[in-house]
């Protein structure tokens, strides 16, 4: 099972039990997230942080919500079987990410019925 961890600072052991660290690949930015999925395909599980720090120009970097929007609106991937968790400490953003993915996955499943 492929698992992806999107977070600019945290280690996997800060969110999940230490013995699961080998199961995850880590990406630290929106760009790395997109590149990883384009090169490796959709993982079975994605763990999302929202706030991904600053970009190289010192501006707020694209966040986990932008990554979720890319999956839904631009990736062209079938997300019906995607499992995910939002581990962001930002409760508003966590609800946005979860709501977007949950609603889209439900929509895809309803289309197949």
């Amino acid at each position: 099972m492929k698992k992806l961890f999107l977070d600019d600072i945290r280690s996997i052991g800060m969110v999940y039990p230490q013995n699961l660290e080998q199961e995850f690949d880590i990406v630290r930015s929106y760009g790395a997230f997109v590149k990883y999925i384009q090169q490796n395909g959709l993982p079975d599980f994605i763990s999302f942080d929202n706030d991904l720090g600053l970009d190289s120009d010192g501006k707020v970097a694209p966040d986990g919500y932008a990554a979720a929007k890319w999956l839904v609106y631009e990736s062209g991937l079938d997300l019906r079987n995607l499992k995910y968790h939002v581990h962001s400490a930002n409760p508003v953003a966590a609800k946005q990410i979860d709501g977007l993915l949950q609603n889209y996955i439900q929509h895809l499943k309803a289309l197949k019925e």
Side-chain angles (χ1 to χ4, degrees):
M1 174 184 262
K2 288 192 295 185
K3 296 181 181 178
L4 186 61
F5 186 80
L6 172 62
D7 197 302
D8 63 322
I9 297 174
R10 291 180 192 90
S11 66
I12 292 157
M14 295 172 76
V15 178
Y16 299 99
Q18 293 285 344
N19 64 332
L20 297 181
E21 287 195 22
Q22 295 85 4
E23 296 182 18
F24 284 89
D25 289 327
I26 301 172
V27 290
R28 299 290 186 191
S29 68
Y30 167 86
F33 176 88
V34 170
K35 183 176 179 180
Y36 176 93
I37 293 174
Q38 288 174 333
Q39 292 179 345
N40 300 291
L42 185 67
D44 301 303
F45 178 84
I46 302 174
S47 190
F48 288 89
D49 184 20
N50 183 65
D51 303 307
L52 300 176
L54 303 177
D55 65 15
S56 58
D57 296 327
K59 296 179 182 169
V60 174
D63 55 22
Y65 186 55
K69 289 193 300 187
W70 177 83
L71 277 176
V72 169
Y73 300 118
E74 297 179 48
S75 74
L77 297 168
D78 182 355
L79 303 180
R80 282 179 291 153
N81 296 317
L82 176 67
K83 304 292 182 227
Y84 67 92
H85 173 71
V86 183
H87 66 265
S88 177
N90 180 330
V92 173
K95 284 187 178 191
Q96 284 182 311
I97 295 168
D98 184 52
L100 173 67
L101 292 173
Q102 188 175 60
N103 289 336
Y104 187 66
I105 291 168
Q106 287 175 353
H107 169 72
L108 290 175
K109 288 180 177 180
L111 289 176
K112 292 292 181 179
E113 291 178 354

